Amino acid sequence: MEIDRLDHLVLTVADIEETCRFYQTVMGMKRVTFGEARTALHFGQQKINLHAVGSRIEPRAEAPTAGSADLCFITAMPIDEVQAHLRASGVIIEHGPVAQQGALGAMCSVYFRDPDKNLIEVAVYDAG
């Protein structure tokens, strides 16, 4: 087997509406509805499916827990503009900017939390 890319992942969240507001406003993602009133956040060629804490959607992770994710998103926006946008959105930057190593090489990252306290990293790959 050879894996090509990640299609979607699932986040377990305390409040789907609050999560959607955050990811739409702060991260520029689009809310989509699919299946039987399921909710997801779409960006680029991927999506994040949302499961509310205690939902019985099957199949599911063995121990779904809100706030247990550590996610990295890539942007083409310069890191100083990312920081300015986060501050203007009322988001507290916990760490960064800091040099990191991503799947495709050197990048610069900032870290913050979503409403469930998941760790969110937004990074830009170094030019060149």
Side-chain angles (χ1 to χ4, degrees):
M1 178 184 336
E2 185 175 319
I3 303 299
D4 178 54
R5 64 187 164 98
L6 181 69
D7 181 79
H8 71 276
L9 59 88
V10 176
L11 274 183
T12 300
V13 301
D15 184 323
I16 288 178
E17 294 304 318
E18 183 179 12
T19 298
C20 286
R21 274 191 297 279
F22 178 85
Y23 281 91
Q24 288 174 288
T25 303
V26 175
M27 307 286 288
M29 295 181 185
K30 295 180 182 162
R31 180 183 183 149
V32 295
T33 303
F34 67 101
E36 295 183 25
R38 299 270 311 275
T39 302
L41 297 159
H42 187 266
F43 60 101
Q45 296 180 18
Q46 297 81 34
K47 69 176 181 159
I48 300 171
N49 292 346
L50 301 177
H51 289 187
V53 170
S55 67
R56 303 306 295 174
I57 298 169
E58 295 289 345
R60 68 176 189 274
E62 182 67 27
T65 305
S68 64
D70 181 342
L71 306 171
C72 178
F73 298 96
I74 302 301
T75 184
M77 179 185 286
I79 204 71
D80 59 333
E81 290 181 27
V82 170
Q83 292 177 90
H85 171 72
L86 291 171
R87 287 186 189 109
S89 300
V91 175
I92 297 168
I93 297 170
E94 289 193 6
H95 188 62
V98 61
Q100 295 290 21
Q101 191 67 25
L104 302 178
M107 58 188 195
C108 186
S109 302
V110 293
Y111 294 83
F112 53 95
R113 304 273 173 182
D114 75 1
D116 287 297
K117 306 300 181 207
N118 292 302
L119 183 63
I120 306 299
E121 176 183 359
V122 172
V124 60
Y125 275 98
D126 293 343

